[in-house]
Amino acid sequence: MNLPRVPDVPDLSLSPGALQGLRVIEMGQLIAGPFAGKTLGEFGADVVKIEAPGAGDPLRNWRLLQDGTSVWWQVQSRNKRSLALDLRSAEGQGIARRLIAEADVLIENFRPGTLEGWGMGYEVLSELNPGLVMLRISGYGQSGPYRDLPGFGAIGEAMGGLRHLTGEPGRVPVRCGISIGDTLAALHGTIGVLTALYHRKVNGGKGQVIDVALNEAVFNVMESLVPEYSAFGAVREAAGSALPGIAPSNAYRCADGYVLVAGNGDSIFRRLMQTIGRDDLGADPALANNAGRVARVAELDAAIEAWTLPRPVAGVLEVLGAARVPAGKVYTAKDIAEDPHYRARDMLLRQRTRDGHDIEVPGVVPKLMGTPGTVRSSAPGLGDDTDAVLAGLGFTSEDIAALRGRKVVA
């Protein structure tokens, strides 16, 4: 396969990106904070990731490992520099403050109060750097009665209302298979950072804190969940593969798998019914709008599946595509890796890890036409950039050796 190649060392010939010159310090670990750092780094920011000496970010060892390092790490930490620094030591905290004093953005996703205990609360840091934008991601936010409770993405998904809607009616709620709560929090945090930077630059504002709670990030995408309860007392329930209140939109069995069909637009519905040989339903005035179709959704689903069931997925997709009816199959990782559209859109990149392995990784989203995001370097080993980062602060090689001897850095 001829995929775009990711350099294993920074390639300065690549587009510098829209965020060139932005200095970011990432103190988070695992998913939410680091995903925000990843996103900023892909668009040109210089992201210095601070990790604990010895162990580093636990994500280095999550899921499937290659030579002892997670392949997930290769995606989450690309374009970053690794500084192995003991933030629990007074010397380490002093070095961190020096770094933050010269930074534009600080990302952290520790439990609220952790940074304050290390002498790095926003009040302290903003005196050193009035323009500092500080992204704080936590389970429940920096205030409120649940502030100090431990929170992970899965708990945020539950409290945000998502878990109640996933799965089949009457069965145990299921997760969507990825850490969607963490990623939603990271994306909201990234939006907050860019908004705060715009305010600082264009409106002459100072730095500020962006307070993102995992549960609130999930809750923000829950559409009509609360308004329906407020107006009608309606508690939305799990509905399996269907989209409640919008019809027809479901997964339908085929001879060799499943196909998703979204025939809920009025004109699309008529084309769908004509395609499956049910002009009687397409011409029925009672089904001309969504409200009427929702009232008879079981009938419509049965009619669609009667047509899809004896046909293979590929055949169904070919016919519905010709009729301009939105439809798609359920992709696996193998399907994505072999799909020509993913390839044509540069959504699959070939990356050589620092250990010398070639793997395929996702491309960059979103796509900016003028200043596209890039992957300038592969994910670092723990402490790969300690010397360079400290030298940038004015530490001599002797200073760095002494710090390493005292186990402040690695």
Side-chain angles (χ1 to χ4, degrees), residues 295-336:
R296 293 166 60 181
V297 64
E299 177 188 358
L300 297 177
D301 282 344
I304 296 168
E305 191 161 274
W307 180 79
T308 62
L309 192 55
R311 293 171 168 81
V313 170
V316 169
L317 293 178
E318 183 179 1
V319 173
L320 293 184
R324 294 179 293 116
V325 174
K329 71 176 182 178
V330 180
Y331 272 50
T332 65
K334 183 175 185 292
D335 293 323
I336 291 172

Side-chain angles (χ1 to χ4, degrees), residues 245-332:
I246 300 173
S249 181
N250 211 333
Y252 302 95
R253 291 177 296 167
C254 296
D256 58 352
Y258 291 87
V259 66
L260 275 70
V261 179
N264 43 285
D266 294 345
S267 61
I268 295 173
F269 171 72
R270 291 192 295 272
R271 292 198 301 273
L272 173 60
M273 292 300 103
Q274 183 180 33
T275 301
I276 68 172
R278 293 302 305 267
D279 289 300
D280 57 318
L281 296 175
D284 189 336
L287 301 174
N289 57 49
N290 185 65
R293 293 192 294 271
V294 168
R296 293 166 60 181
V297 64
E299 177 188 358
L300 297 177
D301 282 344
I304 296 168
E305 191 161 274
W307 180 79
T308 62
L309 192 55
R311 293 171 168 81
V313 170
V316 169
L317 293 178
E318 183 179 1
V319 173
L320 293 184
R324 294 179 293 116
V325 174
K329 71 176 182 178
V330 180
Y331 272 50
T332 65

Side-chain angles (χ1 to χ4, degrees), residues 104-267:
D104 298 292
V105 179
L106 170 64
I107 298 171
E108 67 97 2
N109 64 338
F110 299 118
R111 192 180 299 186
T114 299
L115 283 189
E116 283 76 4
W118 292 342
M120 286 185 279
Y122 188 71
E123 293 74 15
V124 173
L125 297 179
S126 63
E127 285 192 11
L128 295 172
N129 183 353
L132 180 68
V133 171
M134 185 176 186
L135 170 58
R136 314 195 74 172
I137 302 177
S138 60
Y140 305 98
Q142 302 296 315
S143 61
Y146 302 160
R147 170 188 185 270
D148 296 320
L149 294 177
F152 263 36
I155 311 305
E157 293 163 27
M159 186 177 177
L162 178 62
R163 285 296 184 96
H164 185 67
L165 302 185
T166 55
E168 298 292 333
R171 304 192 67 178
V172 175
V174 299
R175 69 182 305 160
C176 72
I178 58 170
S179 306
I180 192 68
D182 291 287
T183 307
L184 285 171
L187 293 175
H188 280 87
T190 303
I191 293 168
V193 165
L194 297 176
T195 302
L197 290 172
Y198 179 91
H199 174 65
R200 191 184 74 179
K201 181 172 183 177
V202 176
N203 299 323
K206 295 182 179 179
Q208 59 183 297
V209 173
I210 296 102
D211 178 6
V212 175
L214 290 168
N215 70 290
E216 292 169 357
V218 174
F219 177 60
N220 192 41
V221 300
M222 293 308 296
E223 300 175 353
S224 60
L225 190 74
V226 165
E228 288 172 0
Y229 176 74
S230 176
F232 309 109
V235 176
R236 186 169 166 181
E237 302 290 345
S241 62
L243 188 58
I246 300 173
S249 181
N250 211 333
Y252 302 95
R253 291 177 296 167
C254 296
D256 58 352
Y258 291 87
V259 66
L260 275 70
V261 179
N264 43 285
D266 294 345
S267 61

